[in-house]
């Protein structure tokens, strides 16, 4: 049996920035892959998805300095998550390959927003810059909150969300947020606390 570390040994390990950041990523992944997110995905997806998210090069965010650069980086990372999810689909799963994009984008956006806004992974200066680039995790709560905007093509469900509609929704939310000098990601705080009518 492996000997459990003492409290000083634990803090000695935690003083190593790389180790602490790896634990923060693991904790965030556990939080965002709760039952409400994972239930729509095939059985056995969670451990595979956990490994995929752990390998996302999130420190690259520190060098990103524009929304265009962030969007290109974001697209590459969502594609990796989408590929991971597609690899978990088989004939017995309800979710089909062409219904995965919305789930992949939501999971990735939840991961990034929690890592940036709700953890000590990035410095305060980095958070103040990166949070303006983040995308809103789109789901039924956000769709319900934006239904008042008739110009948007709002899907019936996350599994019917396609990249074109996704980008249009993100752009609309981001432009409105910019008018108030706020990060678009703040919209998620509103959507998730909005009471169902």
């Amino acid at each position: 049996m492996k000997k459990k570390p003492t409290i000083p040994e634990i803090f000695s390990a935690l003083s190593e920035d790389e180790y602490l950041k790896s634990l923060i990523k693991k904790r965030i992944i556990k939080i965002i892959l709760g039952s409400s997110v994972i239930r729509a995905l095939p059985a056995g997806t969670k451990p595979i998805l956990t490994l995929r998210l752990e390998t996302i090069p999130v420190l690259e965010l520190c060098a990103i300095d524009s929304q265009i650069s962030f969007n290109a980086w974001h697209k590459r990372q969502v594609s990796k998550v989408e590929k991971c999810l597609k690899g978990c689909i088989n004939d017995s799963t309800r979710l089909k390959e062409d219904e995965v994009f919305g789930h992949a984008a939501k999971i990735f956006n939840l991961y990034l927003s929690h890592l940036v806004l709700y953890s000590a992974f990035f410095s305060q200066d980095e958070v103040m810059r990166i949070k303006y680039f983040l995308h809103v995790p789109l789901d039924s709560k956000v769709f319900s909150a934006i239904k008042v905007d008739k110009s948007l093509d709002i899907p019936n469900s996350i599994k019917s969300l396609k990249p074109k509609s996704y980008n249009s929704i993100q752009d609309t939310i981001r432009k409105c947020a910019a008018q108030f000098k706020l990060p678009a990601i703040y919209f998620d705080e509103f959507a998730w606390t909005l009471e169902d009518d």
Side-chain angles (χ1 to χ4, degrees):
M1 180 189 296
K2 189 175 178 184
K3 177 182 166 276
K4 288 190 176 184
T6 64
I7 295 172
E9 288 170 339
I10 291 169
F11 278 104
S12 175
L14 289 171
S15 69
E16 299 295 327
D17 192 53
E18 190 174 319
Y19 177 68
L20 177 60
K21 286 185 175 186
S22 74
L23 294 182
I24 291 170
K25 288 197 302 188
K26 286 177 193 292
R27 183 171 189 229
I28 295 295
I29 291 168
K30 283 184 177 187
I31 290 168
I32 64 139
L33 294 183
S35 61
S36 66
V37 170
I38 207 78
R39 71 174 175 236
L41 304 174
T45 301
K46 190 172 182 175
I48 297 165
L49 191 51
T50 295
L51 291 174
R52 166 67 357 210
L53 290 172
E54 286 178 350
T55 65
I56 298 288
V58 291
L59 288 175
E60 289 179 359
L61 286 170
C62 298
I64 291 175
D65 60 358
S66 73
Q67 189 69 55
I68 292 170
S69 296
F70 175 83
N71 290 349
W73 179 86
H74 180 276
K75 184 177 180 180
R76 289 191 304 273
Q77 307 317 317
V78 169
S79 179
K80 292 175 187 176
V81 176
E82 185 178 13
K83 184 177 178 182
C84 174
L85 293 180
K86 284 181 178 179
C88 295
I89 292 175
N90 58 47
D91 294 337
S92 66
T93 58
R94 291 185 331 210
L95 198 63
K96 306 298 178 220
E97 280 199 17
D98 65 344
E99 298 173 333
V100 169
F101 170 78
H103 290 284
K106 176 184 175 177
I107 289 166
F108 184 65
N109 290 335
L110 284 171
Y111 178 54
L112 275 191
S113 65
H114 280 68
L115 208 55
V116 173
L117 299 176
Y118 307 118
S119 81
F121 191 88
F122 293 101
S123 72
Q124 278 304 107
D125 287 342
E126 291 164 340
V127 168
M128 291 306 293
R129 189 177 50 76
I130 297 168
K131 71 181 180 180
Y132 284 90
F133 300 141
L134 298 177
H135 290 193
V136 176
L138 302 182
D139 58 18
S140 61
K141 291 190 178 289
V142 173
F143 296 157
S144 177
I146 62 176
K147 277 195 174 165
V148 295
D149 191 328
K150 303 297 181 199
S151 69
L152 290 172
D153 176 25
I154 302 167
N156 294 327
S157 66
I158 190 171
K159 70 181 185 178
S160 60
L161 182 64
K162 302 298 180 216
K164 183 178 178 184
S165 179
Y166 172 89
N167 290 331
S168 174
I169 292 168
Q170 295 292 343
D171 288 344
T172 298
I173 293 172
R174 190 175 305 106
K175 285 175 185 169
C176 288
Q179 291 175 11
F180 295 91
K181 296 181 174 49
L182 292 173
I185 191 64
Y186 284 8
F187 191 82
D188 197 44
E189 305 299 345
F190 172 80
W192 267 87
T193 56
L194 184 65
E195 294 298 325
D196 295 329
D197 290 336

